[in-house]
């Protein structure tokens, strides 16, 4: 995954859930990208040593970084899932234009035109762009339908729910309490929906 994007979103999440860790973020994120397993193992060890009555996101007298490597790992997995969703969406959106292009290349009429007879073939060719021509915006492979400028693609509710649950369960596995795990899951999902400033 793109390291700069991952760092940018992770920093926003850490600022929300554990502001005391922001000063250590550059060091902790560098350690994570150098060796994720080692950074997570160290975070797990620090989490186990943290007093159980200390609320999530608040450090005692000692500045301890627990959240940063966990957030980086969760965001990395979440961004991979979002990327996979976008790839599938792109493939689904491009299926029709690709089929039409293959039919034109093989000089085969579209299924509707084949049923109508030869008189409609010219209309089908007229409606479809020539092979090699740029597709109409609504048929573009990745962009999909034309959207007004400035609108972002939303994460589907099922994907949002699955990502939230995965982050929540992962946070629990690190020994973070239920309230802190919910806070972290909300912040990670919030980080995926756009910048806060």
């Amino acid at each position: 995954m793109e390291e700069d994007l991952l760092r940018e979103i992770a920093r926003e999440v850490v600022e929300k859930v554990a502001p005391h860790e922001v000063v250590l973020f550059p060091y902790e994120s560098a350690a994570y990208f150098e060796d994720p397993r080692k950074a997570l193992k160290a975070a797990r060890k620090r989490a186990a040593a943290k007093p159980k009555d200390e609320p999530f996101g608040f450090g005692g007298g000692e500045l301890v970084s627990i959240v940063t490597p966990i957030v980086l790992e969760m965001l990395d997995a979440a961004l991979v899932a979002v990327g996979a969703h976008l790839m599938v969406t792109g493939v689904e959106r491009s299926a029709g234009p690709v089929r039409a292009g293959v039919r034109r290349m093989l000089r085969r009429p579209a299924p509707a035109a084949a049923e109508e007879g030869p008189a409609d073939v010219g209309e089908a060719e007229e409606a479809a762009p020539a092979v090699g021509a740029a597709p109409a915006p609504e048929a573009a492979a990745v962009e999909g339908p034309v959207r007004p400028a400035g609108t972002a693609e939303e994460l589907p509710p099922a994907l949002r729910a699955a990502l939230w649950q995965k982050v929540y369960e992962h946070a629990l596995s690190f020994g973070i309490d239920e309230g802190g795990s919910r806070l972290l899951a909300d912040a990670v999902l919030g980080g995926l929906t756009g910048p806060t400033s």
Side-chain angles (χ1 to χ4, degrees):
M1 191 48 54
E2 186 182 330
E3 205 173 293
D4 290 339
L5 177 62
L6 191 55
R7 280 182 206 266
E8 179 184 326
I9 297 171
R11 184 177 174 90
E12 290 174 5
V13 172
V14 170
E15 285 174 351
K16 285 181 188 173
V17 299
H20 66 278
E21 285 192 27
V22 172
V23 295
L24 294 175
F25 185 84
Y27 168 77
E28 289 293 329
S29 63
Y32 176 84
F33 287 113
E34 185 177 314
D35 187 346
R37 283 190 182 151
K38 186 177 177 182
L40 288 164
K41 185 177 180 181
R44 193 177 294 276
K45 198 174 192 179
R46 290 188 299 260
K50 184 178 173 202
K52 297 295 176 199
D53 60 342
E54 186 177 292
F56 173 75
F58 298 94
E62 182 183 341
L63 189 58
V64 178
S65 180
I66 297 171
V67 175
T68 298
I70 298 169
V71 167
L72 285 164
E73 180 191 37
M74 289 185 230
L75 278 170
D76 194 19
L79 288 173
V80 167
V82 169
H85 165 74
L86 290 173
M87 284 177 37
V88 168
T89 301
V91 168
E92 289 171 353
R93 289 179 180 169
S94 67
V98 168
R99 267 194 301 271
V102 169
R103 286 189 167 280
R104 284 189 306 275
M105 196 177 289
L106 298 176
R107 300 180 193 276
R108 302 286 180 182
E115 293 170 10
E116 298 290 327
D120 294 332
V121 173
E123 290 176 21
E125 287 177 2
E126 208 173 281
V131 175
E138 62 274 357
V142 177
E143 287 89 19
V146 175
R147 293 202 164 109
T151 59
E153 178 141 352
E154 294 286 323
L155 291 176
L159 180 59
R160 287 180 62 86
L163 290 173
W164 189 95
Q165 189 64 34
K166 185 172 184 148
V167 171
Y168 174 75
E169 289 172 1
H170 194 67
L172 288 173
S173 78
F174 266 85
I176 297 172
D177 62 43
E178 286 186 27
S181 295
R182 280 191 204 96
L183 176 68
L184 191 53
D186 289 343
V188 166
L189 234 22
L192 291 173
T193 59
T196 56
S197 49

